[in-house]
Amino acid sequence: MIDQVQLRLMLSALIWGQYKNIVRKAVNTLLFNFRSWFFDLNYESFTRQSFDVAVKYFADFVESHNLHYEFEFFDCDDFALLFKALTSAKLNINAVGLALGELYEDETLLGGHAWNVVLIDDELYYFEPQTYELFDVEHATTTDGFRYVLQAVVW
């Protein structure tokens, strides 16, 4: 379990590391902290096993309710919010944040995007709820080459 201050510091270090220019580092880290919202004082991490249970439950829910991507009506933010809500409801754990930022393919900005940031064994990971992919926040790139740039979280 980590507290809100520790989580903010971990995420701020992540934001700081996304940029090379010192001014961009400072400005974007400050903006991140102004834009983000943390509701709890303490955050319980998943174990790898409990995270796998959460993903299985989420995938089964999506399939059984025939949910699919629909531009503007059920898109990235809806998948990310649903994963956060189902995880809290099913496992009674607050290890999932709603991540908001930008999505890039190669160096081309595709636009704004929402995904999840998760705590597993007190470490941060990104989770793409549309593809069920868990990936490293340091490289922030999926196996198919999309790069995620975090700008804010709701946790």
Side-chain angles (χ1 to χ4, degrees):
M1 184 174 300
I2 65 172
D3 65 38
Q4 184 185 117
V5 173
Q6 290 172 297
L7 185 56
R8 273 188 182 274
L9 289 173
M10 290 169 69
L11 289 163
S12 293
L14 174 63
I15 300 299
W16 185 268
Q18 291 179 144
Y19 302 96
K20 290 181 172 56
N21 178 291
I22 190 72
V23 174
R24 289 195 73 194
K25 286 176 178 281
V27 168
N28 285 299
T29 302
L30 284 171
L31 285 172
F32 170 81
N33 280 284
F34 286 123
R35 291 175 177 152
S36 296
W37 193 265
F38 297 81
F39 288 97
D40 299 319
L41 296 177
N42 295 294
Y43 295 87
E44 182 180 350
S45 290
F46 287 111
T47 63
R48 186 56 200 238
Q49 289 174 322
S50 63
F51 178 74
D52 291 343
V53 168
V55 173
K56 172 84 168 94
Y57 180 73
F58 176 70
D60 290 347
F61 186 92
V62 167
E63 183 178 321
S64 68
H65 288 81
N66 195 27
L67 299 175
H68 56 278
Y69 183 92
E70 189 175 341
F71 182 70
E72 294 297 337
F73 296 101
F74 196 85
D75 52 11
C76 61
D77 56 308
D78 302 297
F79 276 97
L81 284 166
L82 182 62
F83 182 70
K84 179 173 177 37
L86 287 176
T87 300
S88 295
K90 177 68 174 175
L91 300 176
N92 196 29
I93 192 168
N94 62 353
V96 178
L98 173 65
L100 306 168
E102 297 172 330
L103 183 65
Y104 290 83
E105 186 174 22
D106 298 318
E107 292 304 313
T108 303
L109 174 63
L110 301 178
H113 191 53
W115 66 98
N116 296 107
V117 59
V118 297
L119 280 168
I120 302 174
D121 297 323
D122 290 343
E123 299 289 328
L124 293 171
Y125 293 87
Y126 286 154
F127 176 67
E128 176 52 75
Q130 295 178 81
T131 61
Y132 313 121
E133 184 175 354
L134 182 71
F135 54 104
D136 181 18
V137 297
E138 295 300 318
H139 300 101
T141 304
T142 59
T143 55
D144 52 358
F146 292 98
R147 185 170 55 91
Y148 293 60
V149 175
L150 184 64
Q151 294 179 324
V153 297
V154 177
W155 211 312

